[in-house]
């Protein structure tokens, strides 16, 4: 019986060799992709010195792999920052990577700038965090960059001291108070006292900034992979002027640009996102630019009184023209580009050139957010049919005897089995 089984096995092997091999099992279609996101809270330039503050970067692809950077303080970054080689202060920077370096959501903070910026810029805690990993087969990352407070000290008093009080009042309020000539003398006396108080200060915090955090993250939800970048805006104050009583005396010498500044600028949140459908590789982008509100103080009023003006994306506005505090604000617009399996979105930075008449002023770029994604559906290769090697007889023109030979072998096997049974 064992020999019979062996014969049947041999026959089966011959059939297996004789029958052409079918197509190999095809692999399923899959999507390859790459995403990148970036958000910057503030880029500051004074003269030829500059710094980027509150930076968040994220990158991921279908390998799967991801990398993230959250930094409180960096040197000025170019248009495209490299997360593998960012020039950031390690004391306020967290990097993460999947696989290999999970990172942390806990902020890592520091509070010092390099010279010569440190002599004029008072930096509060600058912090960063970043965490990377994998979920549902897709690598993720989330990064945050944050700055608590920034104060810039410039010799404002020296500049104001060179200006007569009356022309200064006229310049600052001509567009705000049409009844300036009818303003009582007591108000002019109050303004005189306030300007004199600022002039008497050797140095004052000419510009103060409170910044919201910047974030950039890559997530996967319900088969949609999204990179989302956002900068939460800022509150900026220029030249704090103490409140004055109607009798011409100052209530206090406190000058907080964020509360009683000559100009207060509110920059809203900017956001850019790009998403990819993992099944179809179709991409989409979205962006919203920061809305900017300017508050200019009417210094003919004894108490802080402000006239507000909103700046829509794409507009440029200059306030206090012709004065040391002349400031130009450019509210950049958002852009979206979509092309089938790729998308890019950007909410470009709000640009501010503040205090132009004070040593060339201070240049700021705030609330920059970008996001981009590109994908592709990789289809399985066409089935490969492996044919049996041609028989030598096929080239002679003779008849193919493969089937008859197999029948004979099968018959011989059956005879052997029956014979053993009869003999038994």
């Amino acid at each position: 019986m064992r020999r019979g089984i062996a014969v049947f096995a041999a026959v089966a092997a011959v059939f297996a060799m004789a029958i052409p091999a079918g197509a190999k099992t095809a692999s399923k279609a899959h999507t390859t992709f790459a995403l990148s996101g970036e958000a910057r809270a503030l880029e500051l330039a004074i003269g030829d010195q500059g710094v980027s503050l509150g930076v968040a970067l994220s990158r991921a692809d279908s390998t799967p792999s991801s990398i993230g950077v959250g930094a409180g303080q960096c040197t000025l970054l170019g248009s495209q920052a490299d997360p593998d080689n960012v020039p950031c202060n390690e004391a306020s920077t967290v990097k993460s990577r999947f696989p290999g370096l999970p990172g942390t959501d806990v902020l890592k903070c520091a509070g010092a700038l390099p010279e010569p910026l440190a002599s004029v810029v008072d930096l509060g805690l600058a912090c960063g965090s970043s965490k990377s990993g994998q979920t549902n087969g897709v690598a993720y990352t989330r990064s945050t960059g944050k700055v608590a407070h920034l104060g810039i000290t410039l010799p404002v008093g020296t500049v104001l001291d060179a200006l007569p009080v009356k022309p200064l009042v006229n310049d600052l309020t001509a567009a705000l108070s049409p009844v300036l000539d009818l303003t009582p003398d007591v108000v002019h006396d109050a303004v005189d006292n306030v300007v004199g108080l600022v002039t008497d200060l050797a140095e004052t915090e000419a510009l103060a900034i409170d910044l919201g955090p910047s974030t950039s993250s890559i997530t996967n939800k319900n088969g949609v992979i999204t990179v989302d970048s956002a900068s939460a805006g800022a509150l900026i104050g220029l030249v704090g002027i103490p409140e004055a009583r109607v009798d011409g005396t100052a209530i206090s010498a406190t000058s907080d640009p964020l509360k009683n500044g000559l100009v207060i600028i509110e920059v809203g949140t900017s956001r850019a996102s790009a998403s990819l459908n993992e099944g179809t590789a179709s991409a989409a982008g979205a962006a919203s630019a920061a809305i900017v509100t300017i508050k200019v103080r009417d210094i003919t009023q004894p108490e802080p009184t402000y006239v507000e003006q909103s700046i829509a994306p794409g507009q440029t506005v200059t306030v206090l023209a012709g004065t040391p505090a002349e400031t130009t604000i450019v509210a950049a617009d958002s852009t979206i580009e979509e092309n089938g399996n790729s998308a890019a979105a950007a909410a470009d930075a709000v640009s501010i050139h503040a205090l132009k008449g004070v040593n060339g002023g201070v240049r700021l770029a705030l609330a920059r957010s970008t996001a981009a994604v590109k994908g592709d559906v990789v289809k399985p290769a066409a089935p490969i049919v492996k044919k049996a090697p041609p028989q030598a007889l096929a080239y002679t023109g003779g008849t193919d005897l493969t089937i008859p030979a197999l029948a004979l072998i099968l018959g011989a096997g059956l005879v052997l089995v029956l014979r053993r049974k009869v003999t038994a």
Side-chain angles (χ1 to χ4, degrees):
M1 187 67 180
R2 291 181 180 177
R3 289 183 59 185
I5 295 175
V7 172
F8 277 113
V11 173
V14 173
F15 268 111
M17 290 186 293
I19 297 173
K24 293 183 178 179
T25 302
S27 59
K28 294 181 179 180
H30 64 282
T31 301
T32 60
F33 57 83
L35 307 95
S36 65
E38 184 175 321
R40 303 180 191 180
L42 169 67
E43 291 188 313
L44 164 69
I46 301 178
D48 59 352
Q49 300 294 321
V51 64
S52 296
L53 301 172
V55 177
L57 306 175
S58 61
R59 305 283 189 274
D61 59 38
S62 53
T63 308
S65 68
S66 63
I67 182 172
V69 178
Q73 172 199 333
C74 308
T75 58
L76 278 178
L77 301 176
S79 58
Q80 291 291 334
D82 180 5
D84 285 311
N85 188 28
V86 286
C88 298
N89 179 3
E90 293 185 359
S92 65
T93 301
V94 177
K95 294 183 180 180
S96 66
R97 184 190 300 272
F98 177 82
L101 186 64
T104 177
D105 285 324
V106 178
L107 290 169
K108 183 179 179 182
C109 302
L113 287 175
E115 294 293 348
L117 284 177
S119 61
V120 295
V121 179
D122 177 23
L123 175 64
L125 288 180
C127 308
S129 70
S130 183
K131 187 174 180 63
S132 295
Q134 184 185 34
T135 179
N136 298 326
V138 176
Y140 73 84
T141 185
R142 55 178 178 265
S143 302
T144 299
K146 184 178 181 181
V147 175
H149 179 82
L150 191 72
I152 300 176
T153 301
L154 296 173
V156 177
T158 304
V159 177
L160 294 180
D161 190 36
L163 296 174
V165 174
K166 180 68 174 179
L168 178 62
V169 172
N170 289 339
D171 288 341
L172 294 180
T173 61
L176 306 176
S177 179
V179 293
L180 178 62
D181 293 337
L182 303 179
T183 304
D185 290 338
V186 68
V187 174
H188 283 274
D189 292 341
V191 172
D192 190 359
N193 184 285
V194 168
V195 175
L197 180 61
V198 175
T199 302
D200 289 339
L201 297 176
E203 291 182 336
T204 186
E205 190 175 64
L207 186 149
I209 306 173
D210 278 348
L211 291 169
S214 291
T215 60
S216 186
S217 63
I218 294 174
T219 58
N220 176 28
K221 186 176 181 180
N222 298 328
V224 177
I225 306 167
T226 301
V227 54
D228 186 272
S229 301
S231 180
L235 181 65
I236 305 167
L238 311 180
V239 189
I241 298 178
E243 183 178 345
R245 296 188 184 278
V246 179
D247 60 5
T249 61
I251 294 178
S252 70
T254 302
S255 58
D256 184 350
L258 296 175
K259 294 181 179 180
N260 52 30
L262 186 61
V263 178
I264 296 177
I265 304 170
E266 297 177 355
V267 179
T269 299
S270 72
R271 184 179 296 274
S273 66
S275 60
L276 182 80
N277 186 300
E278 195 174 5
T280 63
S282 58
S288 59
I291 301 298
V292 183
T293 300
I294 307 172
K295 299 179 180 180
V296 182
R297 184 167 172 179
D298 183 353
I299 63 174
T300 64
Q301 304 299 318
E303 296 182 359
T305 303
Y306 290 89
V307 175
E308 294 188 13
Q309 179 179 359
S310 295
I311 304 179
Q315 289 186 335
T316 298
V317 171
T318 297
V319 296
L320 306 179
T323 74
E326 178 177 328
T327 298
T328 297
I329 301 98
V330 180
D333 209 343
S334 59
T335 58
I336 301 172
E337 296 180 6
E338 296 177 341
N339 184 20
N341 64 348
S342 65
D348 289 327
V350 174
S351 301
I352 299 175
H353 189 181
L355 304 174
K356 292 181 180 179
V358 184
N359 295 343
V362 178
R363 295 183 181 273
L364 307 170
L366 302 102
R368 179 176 187 246
S369 303
T370 62
V373 63
K374 182 176 177 60
D376 189 22
V377 175
V378 179
K379 297 181 179 179
I384 300 175
V385 178
K386 184 178 180 181
K387 296 182 178 179
Q391 301 296 320
L393 292 177
Y395 294 99
T396 65
T399 303
D400 186 358
L401 300 178
T402 301
I403 299 302
L406 292 175
L408 290 173
I409 294 173
L410 180 60
L414 291 173
V415 170
L416 289 174
V417 173
L418 294 174
R419 182 178 180 182
R420 286 180 60 86
K421 288 185 175 181
V422 171
T423 303

